[in-house]
Amino acid sequence: MARLKTQVVIIGGGPSGLLLSQLLDLKGIDSVLLEKHSRDHVLARIRAGVLEHGFTELMREAGCGSRMDREGEIHTGFFIAHNQIKDRIDLSGLTGGRTVMVYGQTELTRDLYSARDARNGKVFHQAAAVTPHAISGPTPYLTWQDTKGAAHRVDCDYIIGADGFHGVSRAAIPKDRIRTFEKTYPFGWLGVLSRTKPASPELIYARHARGFALCSLRSQVLSRYYIQVPLSDSVADWSDQAFWNELRRRLPVDVAGALQTGPSIEKSIAPLRSFVAEPMRYGTLFLAGDAAHIVPPTGARGLNSAASDIHYLYHALCDHYLQGDDRGLDSYSDRALARVWKAQRFSWWMTSLLHRFPDNSPYEQHLQQTELDYLLSSKAARTTLAENYVGLPY
Ligand code: APR
Ligand code: PHB
């Protein structure tokens, strides 16, 4: 069996794992990253696109911010559409000048891979049967197999489980040492990416009796749209034409009238789910990002919550290796979870506000309408929305 030794093994080559390996490398901390899929596979996934300030700062600190700063769009607000009206949430005005960056997760991941290549980062793709061992003690190791079936072992000080919701890291923690919290929603989002001019230069979150819709974008020539669909629907049920027709029905007529349509480049359905595992540490294994928590996409918190975990973990590992100070590692789980739960609360709130809940009673429907009326009439309520959307401080 081929053997390697490193300081930190990172499982998962999504944004969490890549960002951490790059940040650690710049501080002289050695890591090995094991990714289950090929790079092409990872880069073919269409995911989120709204980055909060803390994330963009981490990308810059990682030396990966230049294309993002050139091609990404700064957004100072977004719209909530309802009853043929569009109300603007002035993120910048409500938060003392804070904004978000629209830059696709795919592009960000591409930039992180390029940065790892440029520094000869030890990133192994198509790593099969990745298995953490001895994680309760101080000398953990990983075993895995390469594409030829050859067995490998990596010894390390710490393992970072950044392998997403379906990864192996969380599952490696004994059941009686981890607690999970979950909420599922009775619908999903059908998303379409199309090479068309976006319906609006700023995002539109639309509440409609037929169900929620979102007009988002990756650039001014690449649009991303979503509509709420029942969980029983599949992509095959939705031709491009059916999608555009339904989207139009849920948008104010002026937006619908100006909507440019075109062939879908990507079309997929994602169920909406909230999930948290705690604690985010077991022995020498630390969980980060989707491996530990997921949110419904409504508040654009998923990727941003992953970034805040990486912020805490990065500083904790630097303190350990560069100052001999373990307080950051010891408090990682508590600090990360405190922020994770706020993102959970916000995502749940925004999901509850804007979707059609088929089983809601007339009373609950009234409350939902009142919540929206209150939000749009109260600067205090809009400020709460805005400060959560641009990202709470780390
Ligand atoms: N071994 C190695 N790698 C694995 C394994 C495994 N057993 N299981 C999963 N992976 C890889 C996946 O292929 C994926 O590339 O781990 C990576 C996890 O990446 P993401 O799912 O993107 O999770 P994360 O990096 O935490 O990113 C946060 O924010 O916008 C949200 O859900 C969205 O992807 C997003 C996330
Ligand atoms: C997206 O562009 O994919 C997107 C934007 C905002 C959200 C969710 C998804 O809240």
Side-chain angles (χ1 to χ4, degrees), residues 47-50 189 203 205 214 216-218 224 226 297-300 389:
R47 296 260 181 96
V50 177
W189 279 16
L203 274 70
Y205 290 83
L214 171 62
S216 183
L217 61 146
R218 293 290 174 272
R224 181 71 166 158
Y226 298 93
T298 324
Y389 196 90

Side-chain angles (χ1 to χ4, degrees), residues 18-29 57-63 116 310-311 314 318:
L18 288 167
L19 183 57
L20 183 63
S21 68
Q22 173 70 4
L23 288 164
L24 292 179
D25 188 8
L26 294 177
K27 293 288 183 191
I29 300 168
E57 282 293 295
L58 273 182
M59 285 292 283
R60 292 182 195 112
E61 187 166 350
R116 297 313 296 127
I310 296 308
H311 168 89
Y314 162 54
C318 287

Side-chain angles (χ1 to χ4, degrees), residues 85-104:
I85 315 166
K86 276 191 323 183
D87 274 297
R88 185 164 188 270
I89 304 297
D90 178 6
L91 292 174
S92 169
L94 291 163
T95 61
R98 299 181 63 201
T99 57
V100 291
M101 169 88 80
V102 170
Y103 188 63

